[in-house]
Structure formats: C-alpha cells, structure tokens
Amino acid sequence: MEIKTFLKTLSFMHLALVIGLSIFTVLAYTQNMDFNTETDTKNVLLYIVPIAALTGYFGSQFLFKKLLMRITDTDSLEEKLKKYQSASHLKYALIEAPAFLALFAYYNSGNALPLVIAVCLLVYLFVQKPSKQKILMEIPLTIEQRRELE
C-alpha cells in the first residue's frame, strides 16, 4: 500500500465527515435561529448531550490508543496501515455521533449549549486531520517501514 494513496483516502474520509457535519451545523442554525440559554428541566437531551460529548471525546482518545496498541512489530506495513485506518474511522465516528446528537438537541430546543458543544466537537474533529507526521508518530514502525513511508 502506497502512503500517498493511503493518506489521500484517509484524508478524503476525514474531510467528508467534517464537511457533512459543518453543513448540518449550518442547516440546524439557519432553521432554528432561536438562541436562548434557558434551562428546560423537561428536555432530557440537554442533560444527555454534555455526557455524550464527554464520552465521545474521551472514548475516541482511549479507544484509538487501545487499537493502536494492538499493532505489533511483526505486522506488515499494510496491516499496520489498515489497523490505523480502522482506529481512525472509529475515532472520527465517536466524535461525530455526539456532535450530531447535540445539533439535533439544538434544533429541537434552541438552547445554545448543544450548539456550542457541537461546534467544539466539530473543531476537535477538524484538528484530527490525518497527516504523514501523525502516522509516523502514532504507528510503531520498524526502521525499514519508516524508510518506506518517508
């Protein structure tokens, strides 16, 4: 597997998720321009969103690292890249799911908290953009594999 092709594929997947979430954010905001800070004690989503966001944020980091620990030195470069790609997809999904939930909660309630949480998760997802440097730092590579990627 060539690193340029691998990186393009992973970057395209990441960009598609970021663009999709951005479009959904803009749509949710333009459809419901109500922006209040009132706490509606009957709206359960306002309590679920922060918990889901924290779970998604910390869960994405924890599971990503856990899946990367399953990469062994004996794996081929292609196997390592496939495992890294799977771990990255899971990380992106765990960030994006609570963001969509937060946007849904904002759309239904007009409360600013879910929108702010969704935007923060969107920014965090954007920062997770894959790069060659990140791959070299995060995957345990042999010297030959490192030369092959560089």
Side-chain angles (χ1 to χ4, degrees), residues 111-144:
N111 192 296
L113 178 64
L115 181 63
V116 170
I117 289 172
V119 170
C120 289
L121 288 171
L122 175 62
V123 169
Y124 178 64
L125 179 62
F126 179 76
V127 171
Q128 299 305 308
K129 183 178 191 265
S131 70
K132 190 175 180 180
Q133 287 303 98
K134 282 185 181 180
I135 292 170
L136 290 171
M137 287 175 45
E138 293 173 338
I139 300 177
L141 299 168
T142 62
I143 295 170
E144 298 93 31

Side-chain angles (χ1 to χ4, degrees), residues 42-95:
K42 295 178 184 171
N43 191 349
V44 179
L45 279 177
L46 294 179
Y47 298 103
I48 293 174
V49 166
I51 294 168
L54 288 172
T55 303
Y57 174 78
F58 290 113
S60 69
Q61 290 180 0
F62 175 76
L63 288 176
F64 182 72
K65 288 176 185 174
K66 194 88 162 161
L67 290 174
L68 289 185
M69 289 172 58
R70 290 186 180 174
I71 298 175
T72 62
D73 291 334
T74 58
D75 290 341
S76 69
L77 180 59
E78 189 170 333
E79 289 175 19
K80 289 180 180 183
L81 291 177
K82 284 182 181 179
K83 288 180 181 180
Y84 182 83
Q85 187 175 31
S86 297
S88 295
H89 287 170
L90 181 63
K91 176 172 64 170
Y92 301 154
L94 288 173
I95 298 167

